Amino acid sequence: MLVSKNKSKICLSFFAIIFIFTSCGKKNLPVEKLQNSFLENQPEVLTSLAFSGDPHWGSGMADSDLRLRIINKVSRRSYDSFVILGDIVEDGSKKDSYNNAVATLNQGLKETPVLVLPGNKDFYKKTRENFNVVFSGKGNKSGNYCLDFKGSHILVLDEIKTENNAAENQEKWLAEQLDKIPVEDKVLVLSHNSFISSRKKDSVLENFCSIFEKYKVDLVISGEDHLMELLEKNGVTYIVAGSMSGIFDRVENKSSNSIWMNNTSAGFLDLNLAEKDKLSFAFFDSDGKHLKSYEIRTK
């Protein structure tokens, strides 16, 4: 009888430990979730998109007022989606930063679908799960994926790692996807990682640039560098728009590929895809002031 009671106590203690462990695990996950995901509200035809990156919620250096101004300006325009180019938070292991970020996005962009790319800060301390929980939705997990629309395609690259052949695997995936796309369609590649910019002297991602050139990608848009820049290299146009936080990178010498650069203003990119055989875009600061316009002919 004594043995039976002891066994019962052991079993109860075991299940109590499991319950506490799993409950604590759930409590450590963010509770807010993105309400209006672009991946669940995709149009048949893309007409316009807005971009900005590196808002860094949770950083004491980031300017929350500038972030809100950008969100407010974007919300007043009719975009198919607002795309955030990674580094949503300063530390991906801190659930409060994610909760604050998503609560702000849900409140400020009720009518504008949001697409979020992961950045290196979002995966800080290998906390990929937090990002996936917050931005869950159809396909909205961290990883490489392709979004197909009538006459245009968006290829999204996961946070690029150079160790363990990870970058080589992404290069292979990218080439395979681009090979399937009709030559006459518009092609955009999105990534948190910038491939060329005035902040980078030599890119470790040169192989990606070769793939963009081979398949005549129309536009490559990225964050990572805290500035706004327009560049062109070997027939491919690159845009860096990591300008949502008010944290600005110093630039000693502009890249020879640079057409225009601003590293003193927070802001966003406005991209128009509605016109045939053309992409037109404009940079705006956080107050909506026009900074630069440009257009490129597509294939």
Side-chain angles (χ1 to χ4, degrees):
M1 188 70 177
L2 182 61
V3 173
S4 178
K5 284 184 178 179
N6 287 338
K7 283 184 178 179
S8 298
K9 287 180 180 179
I10 291 170
C11 288
L12 287 171
S13 299
F14 174 77
F15 286 114
I17 291 169
I18 293 298
F19 175 78
I20 292 169
F21 178 79
T22 55
S23 297
C24 290
K26 290 178 180 178
K27 287 181 181 178
N28 285 331
L29 294 175
V31 295
E32 294 282 353
K33 291 188 178 182
L34 187 66
Q35 298 301 314
N36 193 358
S37 170
F38 178 60
L39 295 172
E40 296 176 349
N41 295 281
Q42 294 179 47
E44 181 181 353
V45 179
L46 276 181
T47 57
S48 63
L49 297 167
F51 299 85
S52 194
D54 301 77
H56 289 278
W57 265 276
S59 168
M61 297 177 62
D63 190 323
S64 59
D65 181 59
L66 292 177
R67 280 197 304 251
L68 285 172
R69 287 191 214 172
I70 291 170
I71 290 171
N72 182 48
K73 296 303 178 187
V74 169
S75 71
R76 294 182 180 183
R77 297 166 178 258
S78 181
Y79 290 114
D80 294 326
S81 178
F82 177 45
V83 183
I84 303 179
L85 299 160
D87 278 2
I88 313 306
V89 296
E90 178 66 17
D91 183 343
S93 67
K94 295 182 178 179
K95 64 175 184 178
D96 287 344
S97 296
Y98 272 120
N99 288 333
N100 292 335
V102 180
T104 303
L105 294 173
N106 286 341
Q107 179 64 31
L109 294 167
K110 293 180 180 179
E111 304 300 323
T112 306
V114 179
L115 176 64
V116 181
L117 276 61
N120 57 296
K121 295 286 188 177
D122 304 312
F123 294 160
Y124 183 62
K125 298 178 182 177
K126 300 181 180 179
T127 49
R128 193 174 279 255
E129 184 180 14
N130 283 346
F131 180 92
N132 290 344
V133 167
V134 171
F135 300 110
S136 61
K138 181 183 177 183
N140 204 12
K141 305 291 186 184
S142 50
N144 308 308
Y145 54 92
C146 184
L147 304 176
D148 299 309
F149 306 89
K150 185 176 180 180
S152 62
H153 309 266
I154 297 177
L155 281 74
V156 178
L157 290 171
D158 195 4
E159 165 68 15
I160 298 171
K161 302 291 185 184
T162 55
E163 65 268 15
N164 300 324
N165 298 320
E168 287 84 351
N169 291 335
Q170 285 181 279
E171 291 164 11
K172 181 181 178 182
W173 176 87
L174 178 65
E176 289 174 350
Q177 298 304 310
L178 289 170
D179 196 50
K180 300 174 186 176
I181 295 174
V183 176
E184 65 274 13
D185 286 2
K186 296 174 181 176
V187 180
L188 277 65
V189 174
L190 309 183
S191 169
H192 171 66
N193 304 85
S194 62
F195 299 92
I196 61 171
S197 80
S198 289
R199 185 171 171 266
K200 284 185 167 67
K201 291 185 177 179
D202 296 301
S203 176
V204 297
L205 305 175
E206 283 296 328
N207 287 343
F208 284 94
C209 296
S210 299
I211 295 171
F212 301 149
E213 293 163 15
K214 177 181 177 181
Y215 290 97
K216 295 180 170 57
V217 169
D218 296 301
L219 187 58
V220 180
I221 305 176
S222 63
E224 186 178 21
D225 299 326
H226 298 165
L227 46 78
M228 290 181 278
E229 188 166 22
L230 168 64
L231 309 99
E232 198 166 70
K233 180 183 178 184
N234 296 337
V236 179
T237 302
Y238 296 81
I239 288 176
V240 181
S243 52
M244 198 173 172
S245 69
I247 306 170
F248 304 115
D249 287 333
R250 291 182 59 187
V251 174
E252 295 181 3
N253 297 296
K254 283 182 67 175
S255 166
S256 60
N257 299 302
S258 182
I259 297 171
W260 174 85
M261 185 193 72
N262 181 310
N263 65 335
T264 59
S265 302
F268 64 97
L269 172 73
D270 174 300
L271 174 64
N272 186 334
L273 302 95
E275 298 178 78
K276 186 178 180 181
D277 301 328
K278 185 169 72 172
L279 290 173
S280 56
F281 43 87
F283 295 88
F284 294 90
D285 72 8
S286 57
D287 291 321
K289 178 183 176 182
H290 175 263
L291 299 174
K292 173 71 176 178
S293 291
Y294 200 74
E295 65 179 42
I296 57 175
R297 304 300 300 183
T298 57
K299 300 180 291 294

